[in-house]
Amino acid sequence: MFLEPTFTIDDMIQRCQSGDRKACEMLYKQFASKMLAVCMRYAVDRMEAEDMLQNGFIKVFKNLANYRGEGSFEGWIRRIMVHSSIEYYRKHHKIMQVVDISEHGHEQSVNPAAVANLDAKDLMGMIQQLAPGYRMVFNLYAIEGYSHKEIADIVGITEGASKSQLSRARAILKELIAKSDGKRYENAG
């Protein structure tokens, strides 16, 4: 039985830059599942996320020569996937929901025990239920760590709209968490 040699990420990058298709395939396999999870946060469904992933990897391979080795390679790919996903979203979904912050009133508090009882899969499911504009801003701010100014530039909205959408997304998530906590009590009784 023949075993393929193991390559470091730097080896794969160098081989990809030299046109080694096998190295490109290895690089894709190394990061595809993690990056699909990133794309899923911005997509309407899995099929759309897979399209975002493919578009993102096309950009990764086209821009591999621009990777300077500063920071992690995975972080570099992730950034491309986020931007590619947003670009795909803007191209295929014309309207982005923008709500003024005064529309939703005061945010309710959530029982900390309700949050503690959630697992990551439940929370991600709740995030997926957000309207696409809210979900995008929430993901960029809370998960990716972008500032409101950066989000405004990336998405093409104002900083105020970014803040408003984040606030509304949080309020909706709090409602969903409270409802899920209530369902747990109903099912337990």
Side-chain angles (χ1 to χ4, degrees):
M1 178 164 79
F2 176 73
L3 294 176
E4 285 190 33
T6 57
F7 297 106
T8 66
I9 298 297
D10 291 336
D11 292 338
M12 283 191 270
I13 293 169
Q14 191 173 30
R15 288 171 163 265
C16 288
Q17 289 173 333
S18 299
D20 183 338
R21 295 178 75 73
K22 185 72 172 169
C24 291
E25 182 182 339
M26 289 169 44
L27 194 70
Y28 177 86
K29 286 180 180 178
Q30 175 86 21
F31 294 102
S33 64
K34 284 183 182 178
M35 295 307 129
L36 181 60
V38 170
C39 295
M40 284 292 295
R41 291 197 303 263
Y42 299 94
V44 173
D45 57 27
R46 185 176 177 91
M47 193 158 67
E48 186 173 79
E50 289 172 353
D51 287 345
M52 290 173 174
L53 179 74
Q54 295 306 317
N55 290 342
F57 267 105
I58 289 169
K59 289 179 182 177
V60 165
F61 292 121
K62 279 184 179 177
N63 292 295
L64 211 46
N66 297 333
Y67 175 66
R68 293 178 295 227
E70 297 169 1
S72 77
F73 183 67
E74 183 176 330
W76 183 78
I77 291 178
R78 177 189 205 92
R79 182 182 219 93
I80 289 173
M81 289 299 161
V82 167
H83 287 270
S84 182
S85 295
I86 292 168
E87 182 180 296
Y88 182 97
Y89 177 87
R90 288 163 90 181
K91 184 177 180 183
H92 292 89
H93 304 279
K94 299 294 182 208
I95 298 173
M96 191 165 190
Q97 189 170 4
V98 178
V99 175
D100 186 82
I101 201 158
S102 62
E103 274 188 41
H104 65 81
H106 300 290
E107 291 184 19
Q108 64 184 18
S109 63
V110 172
N111 178 354
V115 176
N117 290 332
L118 285 176
D119 63 18
K121 184 178 178 184
D122 291 337
L123 186 57
M124 290 309 289
M126 289 177 186
I127 292 169
Q128 283 299 113
Q129 291 178 45
L130 294 171
Y134 296 156
R135 187 174 69 235
M136 186 177 301
V137 170
F138 182 84
N139 283 324
L140 288 168
Y141 186 86
I143 298 174
E144 304 297 340
Y146 286 95
S147 71
H148 287 294
K149 177 162 181 23
E150 291 170 319
I151 293 168
D153 292 342
I154 291 167
V155 180
I157 58 177
T158 66
E159 281 185 64
S162 176
K163 290 175 184 177
S164 177
Q165 287 191 13
L166 177 64
S167 178
R168 183 65 183 140
R170 285 178 171 162
I172 292 168
L173 287 172
K174 286 178 182 180
E175 289 173 23
L176 292 172
I177 291 167
K179 286 179 187 174
S180 88
D181 191 41
K183 286 180 185 174
R184 287 177 203 253
Y185 286 123
E186 289 172 12
N187 293 338

